[in-house]
Amino acid sequence: MKTHPRDILLAAQAGAFALPVCDHYSGVASRMRKSLQLQAEMTAEFGTCVFDVTLDCEDGAPVGGEADHAALVTGLALAAVPEARVAVRVHPVDHPAFDADVATIAGQAASRLTHLMVPKVECVADVQRAVAAMDAAGATSLPLHVLIESPAAVHRAFDIAAHPRVQSLSFGLMDFVSAHGGAIPADGMGVTGQFSHPLVLRAKIEIASACHAHGKVPSHNVVTEFKDPAALQTAAHKAARELGYTRMWSIHPDQIRPILAAFAPEDREIHAAAGIIERAAAAEWAPVQFEGRLHDRASYRFYWQVLERAHQTGHAVPENMRHWFDPAPPTPLAAVQAVRH
Protein backbone atom coordinates (compact mmCIF):
# COMPACT_ATOMS: atom_id res chain seq x y z
CA MET A 1 0.00 0.00 0.00
CA LYS A 2 1.31 3.47 -0.84
CA THR A 3 2.54 5.67 1.99
CA HIS A 4 -0.23 7.84 3.37
CA PRO A 5 0.04 11.59 2.65
CA ARG A 6 -0.08 12.29 6.40
CA ASP A 7 3.15 10.36 6.78
CA ILE A 8 4.84 12.17 3.89
CA LEU A 9 3.62 15.74 4.08
CA LEU A 10 4.86 16.56 7.56
CA ALA A 11 6.49 19.60 9.16
CA ALA A 12 3.81 22.19 8.50
CA GLN A 13 4.49 24.99 10.95
CA ALA A 14 0.79 25.50 11.49
CA GLY A 15 -1.92 22.90 11.37
CA ALA A 16 -0.31 20.53 13.87
CA PHE A 17 -3.85 19.66 14.94
CA ALA A 18 -7.35 20.68 13.96
CA LEU A 19 -10.36 21.92 15.87
CA PRO A 20 -13.98 22.34 14.73
CA VAL A 21 -14.32 25.55 12.75
CA CYS A 22 -17.17 26.76 14.99
CA ASP A 23 -17.11 27.36 18.75
CA HIS A 24 -20.60 28.04 20.09
CA TYR A 25 -20.94 30.00 23.36
CA SER A 26 -23.85 30.06 25.80
CA GLY A 27 -24.10 30.91 29.49
CA VAL A 28 -27.77 30.99 30.51
CA ALA A 29 -28.91 27.65 31.91
CA SER A 30 -31.71 27.07 29.41
CA ARG A 31 -29.54 28.07 26.45
CA MET A 32 -26.65 25.89 27.56
CA ARG A 33 -28.98 22.91 27.67
CA LYS A 34 -30.41 23.81 24.25
CA SER A 35 -26.91 24.20 22.83
CA LEU A 36 -25.94 20.72 24.00
CA GLN A 37 -29.21 19.34 22.63
CA LEU A 38 -28.55 21.01 19.28
CA GLN A 39 -25.05 19.58 19.26
CA ALA A 40 -26.47 16.11 19.89
CA GLU A 41 -29.05 16.55 17.12
CA MET A 42 -26.45 17.67 14.62
CA THR A 43 -24.19 14.83 15.71
CA ALA A 44 -27.00 12.43 14.83
CA GLU A 45 -27.57 14.27 11.55
CA PHE A 46 -23.93 14.17 10.43
CA GLY A 47 -22.66 11.10 12.24
CA THR A 48 -20.09 13.05 14.26
CA CYS A 49 -19.91 16.07 16.54
CA VAL A 50 -20.00 19.15 14.31
CA PHE A 51 -19.15 22.09 16.59
CA ASP A 52 -17.82 22.82 20.06
CA VAL A 53 -20.11 24.04 22.82
CA THR A 54 -18.44 26.33 25.34
CA LEU A 55 -20.39 26.80 28.56
CA ASP A 56 -19.77 30.30 29.87
CA CYS A 57 -19.00 31.28 33.44
CA GLU A 58 -17.52 34.71 32.78
CA ASP A 59 -20.65 36.36 31.38
CA GLY A 60 -23.11 33.65 32.38
CA ALA A 61 -22.64 33.59 36.14
CA PRO A 62 -24.65 36.17 38.15
CA VAL A 63 -22.65 38.27 40.62
CA GLY A 64 -22.55 36.35 43.86
CA GLY A 65 -23.68 33.16 42.15
CA GLU A 66 -20.34 32.11 40.67
CA ALA A 67 -20.04 28.91 42.72
CA ASP A 68 -23.54 27.74 41.81
CA HIS A 69 -22.91 28.49 38.14
CA ALA A 70 -19.63 26.56 38.19
CA ALA A 71 -21.47 23.60 39.69
CA LEU A 72 -24.15 23.91 37.00
CA VAL A 73 -21.73 23.85 34.06
CA THR A 74 -19.80 21.00 35.67
CA GLY A 75 -22.99 18.98 35.87
CA LEU A 76 -23.89 19.76 32.28
CA ALA A 77 -20.44 18.71 31.06
CA LEU A 78 -20.56 15.48 33.01
CA ALA A 79 -24.06 14.68 31.72
CA ALA A 80 -23.23 15.33 28.05
CA VAL A 81 -23.29 12.39 25.69
CA PRO A 82 -19.91 10.65 25.21
CA GLU A 83 -19.31 12.02 21.71
CA ALA A 84 -20.00 15.63 22.75
CA ARG A 85 -17.31 18.30 22.56
CA VAL A 86 -17.81 20.52 25.60
CA ALA A 87 -15.60 23.29 26.96
CA VAL A 88 -15.98 25.91 29.69
CA ARG A 89 -14.98 29.57 29.86
CA VAL A 90 -14.00 30.42 33.41
CA HIS A 91 -13.43 33.84 34.97
CA PRO A 92 -10.16 35.73 34.36
CA VAL A 93 -7.13 34.79 36.44
CA ASP A 94 -7.44 37.96 38.56
CA HIS A 95 -11.12 37.41 39.36
CA PRO A 96 -11.96 36.23 42.90
CA ALA A 97 -13.89 33.25 41.47
CA PHE A 98 -11.09 32.00 39.19
CA ASP A 99 -9.50 29.45 41.52
CA ALA A 100 -12.85 28.08 42.65
CA ASP A 101 -14.02 27.86 39.01
CA VAL A 102 -11.02 25.80 38.01
CA ALA A 103 -11.04 23.63 41.14
CA THR A 104 -14.71 22.74 40.60
CA ILE A 105 -14.87 22.47 36.83
CA ALA A 106 -11.46 21.10 35.93
CA GLY A 107 -11.27 19.13 39.15
CA GLN A 108 -14.48 17.23 38.46
CA ALA A 109 -15.03 17.30 34.71
CA ALA A 110 -11.59 17.48 33.07
CA SER A 111 -12.06 14.08 31.46
CA ARG A 112 -15.22 15.33 29.71
CA LEU A 113 -13.85 18.69 28.55
CA THR A 114 -12.09 19.45 25.30
CA HIS A 115 -10.42 22.54 26.78
CA LEU A 116 -10.70 25.36 29.27
CA MET A 117 -11.07 28.93 27.99
CA VAL A 118 -9.48 31.73 30.06
CA PRO A 119 -10.47 35.30 29.15
CA LYS A 120 -8.49 38.55 29.44
CA VAL A 121 -5.07 36.95 29.27
CA GLU A 122 -2.49 39.73 29.23
CA CYS A 123 0.85 37.91 29.31
CA VAL A 124 2.61 34.57 29.67
CA ALA A 125 2.43 34.90 33.45
CA ASP A 126 -1.37 34.73 33.20
CA VAL A 127 -1.06 31.54 31.16
CA GLN A 128 1.27 30.08 33.76
CA ARG A 129 -1.18 31.05 36.49
CA ALA A 130 -4.01 29.27 34.67
CA VAL A 131 -1.93 26.17 33.99
CA ALA A 132 -0.86 25.98 37.64
CA ALA A 133 -4.50 26.09 38.73
CA MET A 134 -5.47 23.40 36.21
CA ASP A 135 -2.60 21.18 37.31
CA ALA A 136 -3.49 21.67 40.97
CA ALA A 137 -7.02 20.48 40.12
CA GLY A 138 -5.59 17.35 38.50
CA ALA A 139 -6.28 18.48 34.92
CA THR A 140 -2.65 18.16 33.86
CA SER A 141 -3.38 17.37 30.21
CA LEU A 142 -6.37 19.63 29.62
CA PRO A 143 -5.64 22.11 26.77
CA LEU A 144 -5.94 25.83 27.39
CA HIS A 145 -7.59 28.37 25.09
CA VAL A 146 -7.07 32.07 25.77
CA LEU A 147 -8.79 35.32 24.86
CA ILE A 148 -6.62 38.21 23.69
CA GLU A 149 -8.55 41.37 24.52
CA SER A 150 -6.19 44.35 24.93
CA PRO A 151 -3.43 46.16 23.01
CA ALA A 152 -0.81 44.86 25.46
CA ALA A 153 -2.02 41.28 25.02
CA VAL A 154 -1.86 41.64 21.23
CA HIS A 155 1.75 42.85 21.63
CA ARG A 156 2.55 39.65 23.55
CA ALA A 157 0.50 37.28 21.38
CA PHE A 158 3.53 35.44 19.96
CA ASP A 159 4.86 34.67 23.45
CA ILE A 160 1.43 33.57 24.65
CA ALA A 161 0.91 31.31 21.63
CA ALA A 162 4.30 29.69 22.23
CA HIS A 163 3.23 28.17 25.57
CA PRO A 164 2.87 24.38 25.13
CA ARG A 165 -0.50 24.14 26.90
CA VAL A 166 -2.08 26.86 24.77
CA GLN A 167 -4.04 25.31 21.93
CA SER A 168 -5.88 28.32 20.53
CA LEU A 169 -6.01 32.13 20.71
CA SER A 170 -9.30 33.98 20.30
CA PHE A 171 -9.72 37.68 19.63
CA GLY A 172 -11.95 39.58 22.06
CA LEU A 173 -13.21 42.39 19.84
CA MET A 174 -15.48 44.27 22.24
CA ASP A 175 -12.97 44.52 25.07
CA PHE A 176 -10.19 45.37 22.62
CA VAL A 177 -12.11 48.34 21.22
CA SER A 178 -13.19 49.47 24.69
CA ALA A 179 -9.59 49.30 25.92
CA HIS A 180 -8.69 52.19 23.60
CA GLY A 181 -10.57 54.79 25.64
CA GLY A 182 -12.67 56.03 22.75
CA ALA A 183 -9.80 56.18 20.25
CA ILE A 184 -11.58 53.54 18.16
CA PRO A 185 -15.19 54.52 17.30
CA ALA A 186 -18.12 52.31 18.20
CA ASP A 187 -18.45 51.01 14.64
CA GLY A 188 -15.11 49.27 15.22
CA MET A 189 -17.21 46.69 17.10
CA GLY A 190 -19.58 46.26 14.15
CA VAL A 191 -19.35 43.97 11.20
CA THR A 192 -18.05 46.73 8.90
CA GLY A 193 -15.68 48.67 11.15
CA GLN A 194 -13.95 45.62 12.56
CA PHE A 195 -12.62 44.83 9.09
CA SER A 196 -11.65 48.37 8.16
CA HIS A 197 -10.27 50.14 11.23
CA PRO A 198 -6.45 49.81 11.09
CA LEU A 199 -5.93 49.06 14.78
CA VAL A 200 -8.58 46.35 14.86
CA LEU A 201 -7.42 44.82 11.62
CA ARG A 202 -3.79 44.86 12.78
CA ALA A 203 -4.75 43.08 16.02
CA LYS A 204 -6.59 40.34 14.13
CA ILE A 205 -3.64 39.77 11.81
CA GLU A 206 -1.14 39.70 14.69
CA ILE A 207 -3.16 37.07 16.55
CA ALA A 208 -3.58 34.88 13.48
CA SER A 209 0.11 35.18 12.67
CA ALA A 210 1.13 34.31 16.24
CA CYS A 211 -1.02 31.18 16.12
CA HIS A 212 0.34 30.00 12.78
CA ALA A 213 3.91 30.64 13.93
CA HIS A 214 3.45 28.20 16.80
CA GLY A 215 1.07 25.66 15.30
CA LYS A 216 -1.97 26.90 17.24
CA VAL A 217 -5.54 27.62 16.12
CA PRO A 218 -6.64 31.25 15.59
CA SER A 219 -10.29 31.77 16.50
CA HIS A 220 -12.16 34.80 15.19
CA ASN A 221 -14.46 36.93 17.33
CA VAL A 222 -18.23 36.97 17.43
CA VAL A 223 -20.52 38.91 15.14
CA THR A 224 -23.11 40.55 17.35
CA GLU A 225 -25.49 41.30 14.46
CA PHE A 226 -26.91 37.80 14.87
CA LYS A 227 -30.15 38.65 13.06
CA ASP A 228 -28.23 39.64 9.91
CA PRO A 229 -27.13 36.41 8.18
CA ALA A 230 -25.54 38.27 5.27
CA ALA A 231 -23.34 40.25 7.67
CA LEU A 232 -22.29 37.07 9.43
CA GLN A 233 -21.52 35.34 6.14
CA THR A 234 -19.40 38.28 5.01
CA ALA A 235 -17.50 38.40 8.30
CA ALA A 236 -16.87 34.67 8.38
CA HIS A 237 -15.67 34.68 4.78
CA LYS A 238 -13.27 37.55 5.44
CA ALA A 239 -11.94 35.88 8.57
CA ALA A 240 -11.31 32.62 6.74
CA ARG A 241 -10.18 33.91 3.35
CA GLU A 242 -8.39 37.16 4.12
CA LEU A 243 -7.16 37.07 7.73
CA GLY A 244 -5.99 33.49 8.19
CA TYR A 245 -8.49 32.31 10.80
CA THR A 246 -9.49 28.64 10.94
CA ARG A 247 -12.18 28.89 13.61
CA MET A 248 -14.89 31.36 14.66
CA TRP A 249 -17.20 32.01 17.59
CA SER A 250 -20.98 31.65 17.43
CA ILE A 251 -23.37 33.23 19.95
CA HIS A 252 -26.64 32.22 18.32
CA PRO A 253 -27.68 28.84 16.89
CA ASP A 254 -28.49 30.44 13.52
CA GLN A 255 -24.83 31.42 13.15
CA ILE A 256 -23.44 27.89 13.23
CA ARG A 257 -24.18 26.63 9.72
CA PRO A 258 -23.13 29.84 7.92
CA ILE A 259 -19.81 29.73 9.79
CA LEU A 260 -19.28 26.14 8.75
CA ALA A 261 -20.03 27.02 5.15
CA ALA A 262 -17.68 30.01 5.10
CA PHE A 263 -14.75 28.04 6.46
CA ALA A 264 -15.16 25.10 4.08
CA PRO A 265 -13.13 24.90 0.83
CA GLU A 266 -14.91 25.55 -2.45
CA ASP A 267 -15.70 22.71 -4.84
CA ARG A 268 -13.17 23.92 -7.40
CA GLU A 269 -10.44 23.89 -4.76
CA ILE A 270 -11.35 20.38 -3.70
CA HIS A 271 -11.22 18.98 -7.21
CA ALA A 272 -7.94 20.71 -8.05
CA ALA A 273 -6.44 19.37 -4.83
CA ALA A 274 -7.62 15.85 -5.64
CA GLY A 275 -5.99 15.98 -9.08
CA ILE A 276 -2.69 17.26 -7.72
CA ILE A 277 -2.49 14.77 -4.86
CA GLU A 278 -3.43 11.87 -7.14
CA ARG A 279 -0.62 12.75 -9.53
CA ALA A 280 1.84 13.34 -6.70
CA ALA A 281 1.12 9.97 -5.09
CA ALA A 282 1.55 8.22 -8.44
CA ALA A 283 4.99 9.89 -8.73
CA GLU A 284 5.93 8.80 -5.19
CA TRP A 285 5.79 12.47 -4.14
CA ALA A 286 8.41 13.64 -6.60
CA PRO A 287 7.71 16.95 -8.43
CA VAL A 288 4.92 16.83 -11.03
CA GLN A 289 3.18 19.14 -13.48
CA PHE A 290 -0.52 19.78 -13.22
CA GLU A 291 -2.43 22.08 -15.55
CA GLY A 292 0.74 23.83 -16.64
CA ARG A 293 2.19 24.37 -13.17
CA LEU A 294 5.02 22.63 -11.35
CA HIS A 295 4.24 21.21 -7.91
CA ASP A 296 6.39 19.64 -5.20
CA ARG A 297 6.01 18.74 -1.54
CA ALA A 298 5.54 22.34 -0.44
CA SER A 299 2.41 22.72 -2.55
CA TYR A 300 1.37 19.10 -1.95
CA ARG A 301 1.11 19.93 1.75
CA PHE A 302 -1.21 22.84 0.98
CA TYR A 303 -3.48 20.81 -1.30
CA TRP A 304 -3.58 17.88 1.10
CA GLN A 305 -4.80 20.30 3.77
CA VAL A 306 -7.57 21.39 1.39
CA LEU A 307 -8.70 17.77 1.14
CA GLU A 308 -8.50 17.32 4.90
CA ARG A 309 -10.63 20.42 5.43
CA ALA A 310 -13.12 19.18 2.84
CA HIS A 311 -13.41 15.88 4.64
CA GLN A 312 -13.67 17.63 7.99
CA THR A 313 -16.42 19.99 6.83
CA GLY A 314 -18.73 17.35 5.46
CA HIS A 315 -17.94 17.60 1.75
CA ALA A 316 -17.85 14.42 -0.26
CA VAL A 317 -14.18 13.81 -1.03
CA PRO A 318 -13.67 13.00 -4.74
CA GLU A 319 -13.79 9.30 -5.51
CA ASN A 320 -10.09 9.06 -6.34
CA MET A 321 -9.20 10.33 -2.87
CA ARG A 322 -11.62 8.42 -0.69
CA HIS A 323 -9.21 5.57 0.06
CA TRP A 324 -7.05 8.04 1.99
CA PHE A 325 -9.99 8.81 4.30
CA ASP A 326 -11.13 5.27 5.06
CA PRO A 327 -10.82 4.66 7.91
CA ALA A 328 -11.28 8.20 9.21
CA PRO A 329 -8.21 10.15 10.34
CA PRO A 330 -7.10 9.33 13.91
CA THR A 331 -7.61 12.93 15.12
CA PRO A 332 -10.13 14.51 12.75
CA LEU A 333 -11.72 17.91 12.96
CA ALA A 334 -15.42 17.41 13.59
CA ALA A 335 -17.13 16.85 10.25
CA VAL A 336 -19.69 19.41 9.22
CA GLN A 337 -22.09 19.84 6.36
CA ALA A 338 -21.32 23.14 4.63
CA VAL A 339 -24.42 25.06 3.70
CA ARG A 340 -23.75 27.32 0.69
CA HIS A 341 -25.93 30.29 -0.18
Side-chain angles (χ1 to χ4, degrees), residues 218-236:
S219 187
H220 193 264
N221 55 269
V222 299
V223 170
T224 57
E225 297 93 335
F226 63 88
K227 293 187 177 181
D228 187 345
L232 173 68
Q233 191 72 28
T234 297

Side-chain angles (χ1 to χ4, degrees), residues 34 39 50 52 77 100 104 107 139 146 148-149 157 168 171 196 205 216 237 240-241 261 324:
K34 288 179 180 179
Q39 187 187 66
V50 297
D52 284 351
T104 298
V146 303
I148 304 297
E149 304 182 70
S168 175
F171 180 49
S196 61
I205 293 170
K216 309 302 171 67
H237 188 271
R241 293 285 172 167
W324 297 125

